[in-house]
Amino acid sequence: MIKDTKAPDFGNVFVATAAVILPLAAFAPLAIAWAAAIPALWIALIYFRSGRYPWAGRAWLIPAAFAALIAYGALTTIWSITPDRSQDIAIRLVPIILGGWLLVGAAAQLDARARQRTATALVIGSGVTLILIAVEIATGGLIKSLLLGKGFDARESLYHLNRAASVVAVLIWPLWLTLVRRLGIAAAAGAAVLVAIILLGLDPDTPLFVLFAGSVFLAFAYFAPQCARLLLIAGLVAAAAGIPVYPEILPAIDSTLVTLNLSDFTLQHRFAIWDFTAAKTMEHPLLGWGLGASRAIPGADGIATQLGGRAEVLPLHPHNALLQLWLELGLPGILLTIIAFVVILIRIPRYIAGRKELAMSLTVIFSVTLIAELSYGLWQSWWLAFLWVLAALTIAIADGRSERQET
């Protein structure tokens, strides 16, 4: 091993990652997993060459909670209704967690120059990507058609930009912080408005809702950061604790929204999915059905009759992270997740300095939580990889306190 007495320099890792994350989200979203894997391997190589160890001085509670979650997920293979799938997911989660742990730990060690370069790379990557998305909207998917070799006359739907919309709705906040620092609040607000206009041109409603809600939460977190942290914790605990009564309260909420003309087919379908999933969760509330078992739950292919027979009651996954956790992993899974979430929120001021920086970081967590509760399957590799990259970039761009103990 070649030993280097200097501290490891991870600057180039994060500059490259910040530059490519949004373009990948727009045109090759499933490749986001590589945007985490390659930097993690790069970081491991830097550690190796410097003769240092990534675990030196690291706190144990958060990684221990994630490790326990993986271990319990693997244990559910014993009673899972899809044991092969449970085993495959548990194995796949190991490198994702390890890689993410490397990314976050390295991000906390960046010096001021590396942080500035990373922020610049994110601005450039964001600008290029937003221009490309605007072109896609204006031309009906021409760029995707060209990439697929279909020529200038072919037209694609904008469905391929759904994941990009979610990524943009979250990464806007590190971008906002960078613009506030360099150009002022007016430029940052203008960028947020521009992103909102672009998201209006895409199909999914969730990212636009998340952007609006995030804007409100950002202001709240800026003026009352302690209250914002408590609100996040209380909201998560309340959402989890309310799962047993979802079948009683969801129909009433749905009916109210329909009466107020605030509902649509997608939201009604979500309610139908959550109603069915909550009922199934309470059939095996202690141990769960098994890691990744959502798509095989008995009756999942049934039709939601209240929607006119047009949709299944559980297509692939519950579109709700807390529901999926309790459904598949039972009480141990959801409790371990809440522990990790609470510990992160309690410790975040140790690594993020400044009122704007803390507000931005809390808004990122808020936005991710909203998307996780409304959209993607929890174990999708691209989504988990993006969450780790997002956490690392948030730490890298915010004023971290690198001299303190890492997460």
Side-chain angles (χ1 to χ4, degrees), residues 24-66:
L24 281 178
F27 296 102
L30 297 183
I32 288 178
W34 290 105
I38 293 175
L41 291 172
W42 191 352
I43 290 168
L45 179 61
I46 292 172
Y47 272 120
F48 178 79
R49 289 180 59 84
S50 67
R52 296 171 182 250
Y53 302 98
W55 55 82
R58 304 285 292 275
W60 60 269
L61 190 54
I62 295 175
F66 285 126

Side-chain angles (χ1 to χ4, degrees), residues 133-214:
I133 291 176
V135 170
E136 283 289 83
I137 294 171
T139 61
L142 177 60
I143 296 175
K144 187 68 173 181
S145 294
L146 292 173
L147 291 175
L148 293 175
K150 295 182 178 180
F152 288 94
D153 295 328
R155 292 293 182 269
E156 295 287 316
S157 72
L158 298 179
Y159 179 80
H160 62 285
L161 294 175
N162 284 4
R163 291 185 178 92
S166 296
V167 171
V168 168
V170 179
L171 274 176
I172 179 60
W173 302 120
L175 178 63
W176 170 87
L177 177 61
T178 301
L179 293 177
V180 166
R181 287 170 170 172
R182 298 183 180 184
L183 300 176
I185 190 67
V193 171
L194 176 61
V195 168
I197 293 172
I198 290 174
L199 291 182
L200 273 171
L202 300 178
D203 292 331
D205 296 326
T206 297
L208 190 61
F209 168 70
V210 168
L211 178 63
F212 173 76

Side-chain angles (χ1 to χ4, degrees), residues 381-403:
S381 296
W382 80 270
W383 174 241
L384 292 174
F386 169 67
L387 293 183
W388 282 112
V389 170
L390 174 65
L393 290 179
T394 299
I395 292 172
I397 291 172
D399 280 340
R401 302 177 182 181
S402 3
E403 296 302 320

